[in-house]
Amino acid sequence: MQIFRCSSFAAAAAAAALAVTVLAPKPAEAQSAACVNLLVGAGYAAWMGVEFAGTYHWSSSFPIGQHRCIKLPVKDMVDGNTYRVVVSAVLGSSKVPCTPEPSPYSSSNTSSVVYNAWGTTLNVHCEMPSAETTAVVEGVDITPSEAGLKALEKHKTEGELPPPTE
């Protein structure tokens, strides 16, 4: 059993979130993969997905402090197609769209779109890092919440969960 010290774990997670915020691409560059970082202050484990043409393409489940990506293009996606990135809390039932929506798919672009997710099971937030959202995320508690730690421990003991049904 691995034991984390909250202060060092939170500090490492905060540094990772800052790196993602600083290095994140702009929406117009978002094409080779869609990714979501689940910030340490979140109170849930999640799946992230790409919704295209009415179909969801899901990642494996992941706990706080981790990220998942879906390689683009997904099945049948071609240049100019629009798509959405969504997050679903493991114990929730919603598919929350990340904002802003990514630009239409372009195979000539090799960058990725990156979003940060936080909140609680019933109040999921997912936004692309920007000057405005960085201020919001900086206000999020970087200490792992009790619910987030429970979700992390459950993920460690039970492993990945199957994605939500459509």
Side-chain angles (χ1 to χ4, degrees):
M1 178 175 170
Q2 201 172 23
I3 298 175
F4 293 99
R5 286 192 175 142
C6 285
S7 59
S8 62
F9 184 71
L18 179 61
V20 167
T21 301
V22 172
L23 301 174
K26 293 176 177 43
E29 302 174 7
Q31 303 303 311
S32 67
C35 303
V36 172
N37 302 301
L38 187 56
L39 300 181
V40 170
Y44 57 93
W47 295 280
M48 64 83 51
V50 170
E51 180 190 5
F52 170 67
T55 301
Y56 290 90
H57 304 268
W58 292 105
S59 71
S60 57
S61 61
F62 59 111
I64 59 172
Q66 293 190 12
H67 74 278
R68 291 292 184 271
C69 296
I70 304 244
K71 186 176 177 181
L72 298 177
V74 295
K75 185 178 184 330
D76 298 327
M77 184 183 278
V78 297
D79 283 351
N81 286 151
T82 59
Y83 63 98
R84 291 189 323 159
V85 178
V86 297
V87 173
S88 181
V90 167
L91 297 177
S93 60
S94 62
K95 297 172 182 82
V96 176
C98 297
T99 59
E101 286 192 9
S103 58
Y105 175 70
S106 172
S107 60
S108 64
N109 194 326
T110 60
S111 297
S112 296
V113 61
V114 179
Y115 294 94
N116 289 332
W118 68 94
T120 64
T121 300
L122 300 177
N123 192 22
V124 174
H125 297 278
C126 183
E127 295 184 27
M128 186 176 288
S130 68
E132 295 81 30
T133 61
T134 298
V136 171
V137 171
E138 285 176 351
V140 172
D141 189 3
I142 60 169
T143 303
S145 67
E146 185 177 328
L149 288 173
K150 285 180 183 177
L152 176 62
E153 288 305 315
K154 184 173 183 175
H155 190 272
K156 286 180 188 178
T157 57
E158 295 180 11
E160 293 179 1
L161 301 172
T165 57
E166 294 186 36

